[in-house]
Amino acid sequence: MRRYRVHLLVALLAFASAQAWNRWNIHEMERTPNARGGVIDGRVLSSVDAPSYLQAVDRLLGDRPDLERGPMHARVDLRSPGYRIWYLLPRLFLEPLPALSVLVFLQCLLYAASVALLWETLLRLGIDPRIRWPLIIAFAAMPTFHGFLFHTLTEGVTPALSLIVLCSALMGHLTSDKRWLTLGLVTWSLLILTRPALGWVGFALMPPLMSSRPVRGTLLIVLAALPTCLWWVANSMKAGELIGLHPVYRIDEPGINRPAHGAFWELAKSWGASGDAFHVTMEPAFRAALVCDTAESYAKRYLDLAPHDLLSTSQHDAVTSAFHDWQRFNCIELGPALRSSSGTLHTSTALEARINASLARITSDWRNEHPFHYHVVVPMRVLQHLIAHSNLNLFLFQHKLRGIWWLEVLRWLSALLHVALFCCVALALLPGIPTPVRWTAAGAVLYLFYLAYVQRGVEERYTLPVLFIGVACAAFVFNSHASQSTSTVRRGSSSS
């Protein structure tokens, strides 16, 4: 055990720091009236998406018979089932609230294990202690990395799982030990079952798996992806057609997320509207329209999302007309269906189809008229939003401690570290970096491009796996630079 004393110490530091920052945050939220509702029984932080991850487990165990009724029961599964495993483990033995406490404990434990594994990886690969120590201490202690460990969301586990995959691939590449590659494959399988969009993390496993026996390596990768594929096939069979891995906009949706809502979002993200601004605009309009409140002010708020002077009069009128049609559809068609025994509209009506077609035409015309804004300005703005911030998202930092001098110092240090780690991901593409790191960095860059250019209205938490991988990338980038500098000095000394 003497060899692993440092591993235990850094893991303990990571676990204790994550617990301390988050429990302090919960304490302050419970003392603040307008923030108290964001905490569940003093245990975990609440979020809008959390029920969609947890309710399936409660229903499976027979604790939510109400979920066996209504249109949502027959609906396709919006969430891949990987994260539910983490909640299911404690729920097999505990009631929901104690199980939530165990869930965040497990998330902190997984994070601590990833810190210890990164230490072992950097140690085995000969990273300079002057680089290794500061990175590991910052990774373990700084709240930059702890913001979602007390949320019941996939981001509580996916960053650590991503780093474990990379470290396992590096260790397998270095030692040719099959046990490391097995750990990497199992972890990657769980990762994509939890968040399919993070499949690119598996690029790290390609070099060690394909180096000697490519056919066997391919079969192992297919086997690791099989659980997610089986879930997707079952979900498609339930839908009666091929669907995506995250089928949000469905024609049988008993709520706001029908195809027309998706069409409004396609137009809004063309303009560069943020996801938060879009949802804050559309959700009140939807609730009002269900009770036939179709005031023009709702359409105006949506049009205010458009960039100034980039919407022509004809486009303004066309969007207003489509919005009013959407309000009318919710009032006279969807609203009554939601209140009926069917619980929803199972097909798209003529009015809804006309709204979708009109919005598709408006969106296409606007993008063709403003290609630079659509293809360059908006993606660059989204990328800046994703990278240039401190990642100190806890209420404690955003409200209670804001303005205190040491917190502002921490905020700037965290912001600089956050930006630097993302830069190191890009620099890890350069020669001289271990192949698994370069392959993973390539996947991360493609993922960031997807978030900035395709998805656009993203939340900061989506980039947490890239941030964790950035810590490993930084170690190799700085070590490579240090090695090159040392070699240059030695050559200079030899020639003199």
Side-chain angles (χ1 to χ4, degrees):
M1 288 299 296
R2 184 174 297 177
R3 175 178 172 340
Y4 295 103
R5 283 184 302 180
V6 176
H7 301 69
L8 277 171
L9 286 173
V10 297
L12 188 60
L13 175 62
F15 183 83
S17 298
Q19 288 281 326
W21 288 115
N22 279 281
R23 295 202 179 279
W24 186 7
N25 179 65
I26 285 179
H27 174 71
E28 294 299 339
M29 289 181 70
E30 289 191 310
R31 292 177 56 189
T32 307
N34 62 352
R36 197 174 296 140
V39 180
I40 301 175
D41 195 43
R43 301 170 187 268
V44 300
L45 300 175
S46 66
S47 59
V48 175
D49 291 341
S52 64
Y53 291 108
L54 307 182
Q55 284 180 351
V57 174
D58 293 329
R59 182 174 62 191
L60 176 68
L61 297 177
D63 295 325
R64 292 295 302 274
D66 57 303
L67 297 177
E68 298 296 337
R69 299 184 296 270
M72 292 302 287
H73 173 59
R75 197 195 189 290
V76 297
D77 200 349
L78 286 180
R79 306 290 184 184
S80 53
Y83 186 69
R84 295 168 191 162
I85 297 172
W86 295 91
Y87 181 52
L88 178 63
L89 292 174
R91 275 293 284 117
L92 289 172
F93 310 99
L94 300 170
E95 292 299 311
L97 288 177
L100 290 178
S101 295
V102 175
L103 175 60
V104 297
F105 178 87
L106 291 174
Q107 291 178 172
C108 292
L109 206 60
L110 180 69
Y111 160 65
S114 73
V115 175
L117 181 57
L118 179 61
W119 172 267
E120 172 69 8
T121 305
L122 300 185
L123 190 67
R124 288 278 197 100
L125 272 75
I127 300 299
D128 193 313
R130 294 171 296 177
I131 297 170
R132 186 172 71 243
W133 273 106
L135 273 175
I136 291 294
I137 295 299
F139 185 32
M142 289 187 69
T144 316
F145 305 96
H146 305 154
F148 283 90
L149 290 175
F150 271 55
H151 278 83
T152 52
L153 299 168
T154 56
E155 285 74 22
V157 297
T158 52
L161 291 175
S162 299
L163 184 58
I164 290 171
V165 172
L166 175 57
C167 290
S168 300
L170 282 165
M171 296 291 280
H173 193 62
L174 171 69
T175 64
S176 299
D177 189 336
K178 294 180 181 177
R179 291 174 297 179
W180 284 112
L181 295 180
T182 300
L183 174 63
L185 282 166
V186 171
T187 307
W188 181 69
S189 181
L190 178 57
L191 175 66
I192 59 173
L193 189 62
T194 304
R195 193 79 172 180
L198 298 177
W200 55 269
V201 176
F203 287 0
L205 295 164
M206 301 288 280
L209 286 174
M210 300 296 185
S211 58
S212 56
R213 301 173 67 180
V215 174
R216 181 174 180 271
T218 302
L219 289 175
L220 288 172
I221 290 171
V222 171
L223 185 63
L226 188 59
T228 303
C229 292
L230 290 175
W231 166 79
W232 172 68
V233 169
N235 218 23
S236 295
M237 291 175 64
K238 191 175 184 179
E241 60 180 343
L242 283 179
I243 57 175
L245 290 169
H246 186 43
V248 178
Y249 302 114
R250 298 274 300 161
I251 59 173
D252 59 348
E253 171 67 31
I256 191 173
N257 290 325
R258 293 179 68 88
H261 186 258
F264 277 112
W265 170 233
E266 283 296 317
L267 178 57
K269 73 180 185 181
S270 304
W271 297 336
S274 69
D276 289 342
F278 174 74
H279 293 306
V280 167
T281 299
M282 297 296 290
E283 287 171 7
F286 174 73
R287 290 193 297 269
L290 289 179
V291 293
C292 294
D293 175 5
T294 57
E296 292 186 6
S297 57
Y298 295 111
K300 183 180 183 304
R301 287 172 199 161
Y302 177 78
L303 287 161
D304 287 342
L305 299 174
H308 184 61
D309 293 337
L310 290 186
L311 204 63
S312 67
T313 302
S314 61
Q315 288 169 339
H316 183 283
D317 294 341
V319 173
T320 302
S321 177
F323 199 94
H324 289 159
D325 284 343
W326 177 69
Q327 289 176 304
R328 193 158 59 89
F329 162 75
N330 291 322
C331 170
I332 66 175
E333 295 183 351
L334 181 60
L338 295 181
R339 295 186 288 269
S340 70
S341 58
S342 65
T344 187
L345 286 171
H346 294 280
T347 59
S348 188
T349 68
L351 176 56
E352 188 178 25
R354 188 167 72 246
I355 297 167
N356 296 337
S358 175
L359 287 170
R361 184 176 61 256
I362 295 167
T363 302
S364 176
D365 291 345
W366 194 91
R367 290 176 179 180
N368 290 333
E369 290 177 18
H370 306 281
F372 186 76
H373 186 90
Y374 173 70
H375 293 292
V376 180
V377 174
V378 174
M380 292 303 295
R381 190 184 298 159
V382 173
L383 192 62
Q384 179 185 4
H385 173 73
L386 290 175
I387 296 174
H389 59 86
S390 68
N391 213 47
L392 299 180
N393 63 300
L394 296 180
F395 172 86
L396 182 70
F397 305 123
Q398 295 299 324
H399 300 277
K400 183 66 179 179
L401 300 181
R402 198 172 188 96
I404 298 177
W405 70 269
W406 65 265
L407 189 278
E408 295 308 310
V409 172
L410 176 62
R411 188 185 307 282
W412 278 102
L413 287 175
S414 183
L416 290 172
L417 177 64
H418 193 270
V419 173
L421 292 179
F422 276 84
C423 290
C424 286
V425 171
L427 292 173
L429 296 171
L430 299 174
I433 306 298
T435 310
V437 179
R438 281 194 287 124
W439 279 56
T440 311
V445 169
L446 290 174
Y447 175 64
L448 290 173
F449 174 80
Y450 168 78
L451 292 179
Y453 185 80
V454 180
Q455 195 165 343
R456 299 190 179 217
V458 296
E459 301 176 40
E460 295 169 1
R461 61 190 173 101
Y462 294 167
T463 60
L464 276 176
V466 181
L467 180 65
F468 275 50
I469 284 172
V471 179
C473 290
F476 291 101
V477 167
F478 286 122
N479 197 68
S480 176
H481 177 73
S483 299
Q484 291 174 4
S485 299
T486 302
S487 300
T488 302
V489 171
R490 286 176 179 171
R491 287 197 298 270
S493 300
S494 299
S495 61
S496 62

